[in-house]
């Protein structure tokens, strides 16, 4: 019998701007241990892990005295790399998934394809504000880094929403749900007519 593939990853990345350790297990139970120094980012990553039923540890330090941009983007790079490692064996994965999530007045639509062709559509305007050290426009930079490093195709569309916290949190929850679904083993073989991804 074939041994069950281990679908977890540990990423360490250190630059002159940030120092990040990230562990991801996509067959986990939703346990999150997050400390990035940005409380709102911690809240988003915990929510992502909980709804994706992924185990996620992130210990990150960065030049927050500059602003949050470097750290948020670099966490996106590390999460993208970890996802790529966890899904390197494409055999049997669902590959495609989508989700529509609401949070109070906000509703977002996400769809993903883990077919190995990176593409991001980020169509979610929101108030430009700072939420506890988190500058809302960096949300798009986070997702650009995530997509470029995980090689996934991700479409994010805000249907409606006024409150930036609600819009961003709905996106992170939907990301968890979509990635959980897309990474499940649901079939035999590689899900492509090409025979490889
Ligand atoms: Mn919240």
């Amino acid at each position: 019998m074939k041994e069950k593939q281990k679908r977890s990853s540990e990423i360490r990345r250190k630059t002159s701007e940030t120092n990040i350790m990230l562990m991801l297990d996509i067959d986990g139970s939703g346990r999150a241990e997050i400390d990035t120094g940005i409380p709102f980012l911690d809240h988003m990553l915990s929510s992502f892990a909980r709804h994706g039923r992924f185990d996620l540890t992130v210990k990150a330090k960065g030049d927050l005295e500059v602003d949050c941009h470097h750290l948020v983007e670099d966490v996106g790079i590390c999460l993208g790399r970890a996802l790529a490692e966890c899904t390197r064996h494409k055999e049997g994965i669902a590959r495609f998934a989508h989700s529509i999530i609401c949070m109070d007045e906000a509703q977002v639509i996400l769809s993903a394809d883990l077919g190995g062709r990176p593409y991001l559509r980020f169509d979610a305007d929101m108030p430009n504000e700072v939420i506890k050290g988190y500058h809302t426009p960096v949300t798009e930079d986070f997702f650009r880094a995530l997509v470029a490093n995980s090689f996934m195709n991700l479409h994010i569309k805000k249907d409606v929403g006024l409150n930036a916290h609600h819009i961003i949190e709905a996106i992170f929850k939907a990301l968890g749900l979509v990635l959980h679904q897309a990474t499940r083993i649901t079939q035999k073989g590689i899900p492509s007519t090409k025979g490889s991804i």
Side-chain angles (χ1 to χ4, degrees):
M1 203 178 117
K2 215 170 143 189
E3 202 188 318
K4 194 170 176 282
Q5 308 280 10
K6 208 163 158 265
R7 302 201 302 166
S8 59
S9 166
E10 181 176 335
I11 305 289
R12 284 172 195 274
R13 185 177 186 274
K14 190 174 190 296
T15 71
S16 58
E17 295 170 346
T18 63
N19 188 359
I20 298 167
M21 189 280 287
L22 185 149
M23 289 192 293
L24 176 68
D25 182 347
I26 61 171
D27 292 315
S29 58
R31 202 168 36 80
E33 219 188 304
I34 319 282
D35 184 7
T36 67
I38 308 170
F40 185 74
L41 182 61
D42 294 355
H43 178 36
M44 292 303 105
L45 292 171
S46 300
S47 203
F48 159 73
R50 179 70 189 85
H51 295 285
R53 282 162 274 166
F54 299 145
D55 289 343
L56 178 66
T57 302
V58 183
K59 302 285 169 212
K61 286 197 190 318
D63 53 355
L64 295 178
E65 66 286 359
V66 179
D67 80 357
C68 71
H69 193 129
H70 298 148
L71 189 64
V72 174
E73 193 171 27
D74 290 0
V75 170
I77 290 172
C78 293
L79 185 59
R81 283 185 188 170
L83 263 169
E85 273 192 18
C86 289
T87 56
R88 64 194 176 280
H89 304 292
K90 294 283 199 290
E91 204 175 328
I93 62 163
R95 180 180 162 179
F96 301 99
H98 65 273
S99 186
I100 303 176
I101 290 292
C102 55
M103 182 166 174
D104 298 349
E105 88 299 342
Q107 178 168 273
V108 301
I109 302 162
L110 262 74
S111 67
D113 172 12
L114 304 186
R117 291 146 65 100
Y119 184 91
L120 173 71
R121 174 169 68 117
F122 190 88
D123 182 1
D125 61 310
M126 64 185 79
N128 183 332
E129 61 184 72
V130 178
I131 309 170
K132 284 243 176 187
Y134 180 95
H135 197 182
T136 55
V138 300
T139 308
E140 181 166 355
D141 300 297
F142 175 89
F143 282 97
R144 235 165 251 297
L146 177 73
V147 161
N149 288 275
S150 63
F151 307 102
M152 77 169 126
N153 181 347
L154 181 66
H155 284 244
I156 298 172
K157 163 92 178 140
K158 184 191 89 177
D159 173 23
V160 287
L162 297 169
N163 178 302
H165 186 137
H166 296 162
I167 297 164
I168 299 168
E169 187 164 345
I171 291 173
F172 273 88
K173 283 176 173 167
L175 181 73
L177 288 165
V178 161
L179 287 179
H180 178 83
Q181 206 182 315
T183 55
R184 289 317 91 189
I185 306 293
T186 57
Q187 54 195 311
K188 281 196 163 65
I190 303 286
S192 167
T193 52
K194 294 198 286 279
S196 74
I197 298 179

